[in-house]
Amino acid sequence: RRARIGSVESVGVSNDMEQRRRRVIHELAGLISTTAGQLADAGVLTPRDFHLPAIALVGASNELIVEWFTTDSPLTANDLAREIVILFRALIAGSRPH
């Protein structure tokens, strides 16, 4: 129930809630971006600005989670997590800046 409230029902409720939702998105994206930057510093990833890919990953992950718990998906939580990891690897590790 909490996941549904946080991911679906809170969208558009109020300006304050929307600001809070955006802050959380940016906090999660900041964590992803910082981690990816550390991996780039260690030579594991190609150095680049990871901010936009991180924002995209938070949004994509959220939509996958919403799809999972609002449909009759046969996926388990572990299956869903595996799909999200694949998405992260494709966008962060597989990215090559021009």
Side-chain angles (χ1 to χ4, degrees):
R1 177 79 182 130
R2 288 181 189 159
R4 183 176 186 82
I5 290 169
S7 298
V8 177
E9 296 174 13
S10 67
V11 177
V13 168
S14 70
N15 188 43
D16 288 343
M17 183 62 95
E18 182 60 19
Q19 288 177 3
R20 172 68 180 142
R21 191 179 77 81
R22 296 296 305 161
R23 275 194 309 274
V24 169
I25 289 169
H26 281 88
E27 288 170 7
L28 291 170
L31 178 61
I32 294 166
S33 185
T34 296
T35 302
Q38 291 169 344
L39 291 169
D41 291 345
V44 176
L45 298 175
T46 301
R48 64 174 298 202
D49 183 349
F50 292 102
H51 175 72
L52 289 178
I55 292 287
L57 286 168
V58 172
S61 297
N62 183 67
E63 287 305 312
L64 289 175
I65 292 166
V66 169
E67 179 70 11
W68 180 64
F69 70 74
T70 60
T71 64
D72 291 330
S73 175
L75 297 178
T76 66
N78 285 338
D79 294 335
L80 180 63
R82 189 172 19 263
E83 290 299 322
I84 293 172
V85 167
I86 291 167
L87 180 64
F88 270 61
R89 286 183 178 156
L91 194 54
I92 296 292
S95 63
R96 298 290 182 256
H98 291 92

